[in-house]
Amino acid sequence: MRDITQPIFIAGPCVIESQEILEIVAEELVRINKAYQVDIIFKSSFDKANRTSIHSYRGPGMEKGLQMLDDIKRKYDLKILTDIHESNQATPVAEVADILQIPAFLCRQTDLLLAAAHTGKIVNIKKAQFLSGADMRYPYEKSVEAGAKETWLTERGNCMGYNNLVVDFRNIPTMKSIAPRCIMDCTHSVQRPGGNGISTGGDREYVPMMAQAAKAFGANGYFFEVHPRPEEAKSDGPNMLYLEDLEKVIASLL
């Protein structure tokens, strides 16, 4: 297991839109890594299977998306994190990704957790919007007992209805008592699910404060969805951080 006293950073665009955007983000992550010597992981999704509307952009699909992520991995020597939604995706995705992520809505799906863990990769489980931090013991145990290399837990807020999320930061020390690595998803935590009607809204101005509060409660990982032009993003634009602001936020956490 890597040194858990050192924070890790996960960053990238919500969904794969183009190779150009992936490369713009990757180049910035490499620059930040060289400047601060941080453990930074590239994240993007090949498919967003839980979009609000059937007309929303989902991504390029698994085959093309994995090829694009593999190109980023090889060209920029970055570790890759991406999410899976079905058990049969685990094995092919593990051929490219270093970390398999379990989406929050699916974190109790036993077969999905077992398939991810059986690859022997690191598994990052996002806490469901309807669960407490203590409830995450059981998804964690499923992953660990099925053989995951490491299992991380990620806080991303709780749904309170009426298109809003609330973060109970006590979940971070609770989950750290379960898993050595507890990550704060600083951008999804400021979502307003369905807040824009057929899409999700959000309040990106609170992202730096979410990160600082998480640090105060002992988080040892931080997740940021970033984009060079969030207002043009095809998914989660309102809560994504401007790529140009990422360095400042990371520096404030070190």
Side-chain angles (χ1 to χ4, degrees):
M1 181 178 292
R2 68 190 70 204
D3 183 1
I4 61 170
T5 65
Q6 299 300 314
I8 61 169
F9 298 90
I10 301 165
C14 177
V15 65
I16 298 172
E17 299 178 22
S18 69
Q19 195 69 33
E20 177 190 14
I21 290 175
L22 295 185
E23 296 210 9
I24 290 171
V25 174
E27 287 173 2
E28 179 65 1
L29 298 192
V30 169
R31 188 189 69 79
I32 292 172
N33 184 42
K34 288 180 178 178
Y36 296 93
Q37 295 299 299
V38 294
D39 193 357
I40 194 160
I41 298 161
F42 186 95
K43 181 270 170 186
S44 196
S45 299
F46 56 80
D47 180 23
K48 301 300 290 186
N50 61 348
R51 295 302 306 273
T52 303
S53 169
I54 195 170
H55 302 294
S56 298
Y57 177 75
R58 288 182 53 168
M62 186 172 71
E63 183 177 354
K64 183 178 179 181
L66 287 179
Q67 182 59 61
M68 295 169 79
L69 291 173
D70 191 49
D71 289 345
I72 292 296
K73 181 176 185 175
R74 294 176 185 276
K75 183 174 181 178
Y76 296 97
D77 193 27
L78 286 166
K79 293 186 287 293
I80 299 293
L81 178 150
T82 195
D83 34 19
I84 60 173
H85 295 85
E86 300 178 20
S87 302
N88 61 10
Q89 294 176 338
T91 297
V93 172
E95 294 179 5
V96 173
D98 302 277
I99 301 100
L100 302 185
Q101 181 165 276
I102 307 300
F105 286 128
L106 302 177
C107 76
R108 293 180 63 176
Q109 296 299 106
T110 300
D111 289 344
L112 183 62
L113 287 162
L114 298 185
H118 285 157
T119 66
K121 295 287 187 171
I122 298 171
V123 178
N124 181 39
I125 311 173
K126 300 185 79 171
K127 181 181 72 64
Q129 299 91 329
F130 49 84
L131 294 180
S132 71
D135 291 329
M136 292 304 292
R137 176 174 302 280
Y138 308 106
Y140 176 80
E141 289 176 347
K142 291 175 185 179
S143 177
V144 169
E145 293 182 21
K149 181 179 179 181
E150 298 176 27
T151 302
W152 304 344
L153 297 179
T154 295
E155 167 62 35
R156 52 99 70 243
N158 282 78
C159 54
M160 304 298 288
Y162 306 103
N163 309 115
N164 213 342
L165 296 173
V166 172
V167 177
D168 182 349
F169 287 95
R170 295 174 298 180
N171 283 329
I172 292 173
T174 297
M175 290 197 293
K176 272 187 73 179
S177 71
I178 300 167
R181 179 71 69 185
C182 184
I183 297 162
M184 181 67 196
D185 184 339
C186 304
T187 45
H188 285 105
S189 295
V190 299
Q191 275 184 334
R192 292 184 178 271
N196 287 345
I198 64 168
S199 64
T200 291
D203 302 300
R204 77 169 61 88
E205 64 268 27
Y206 297 123
V207 169
M209 281 90 82
M210 285 287 182
Q212 289 294 335
K215 179 180 179 181
F217 276 85
N220 52 8
Y222 304 89
F223 181 113
F224 302 100
E225 286 193 330
V226 297
H227 195 285
R229 299 176 298 277
E231 64 281 354
E232 299 175 14
K234 295 182 178 181
S235 176
D236 270 359
N239 53 268
M240 274 201 283
L241 198 63
Y242 280 92
L243 180 61
E244 64 189 28
D245 293 332
L246 179 62
E247 179 181 6
K248 179 171 60 177
V249 176
I250 287 179
S252 74
L253 295 165
L254 295 173

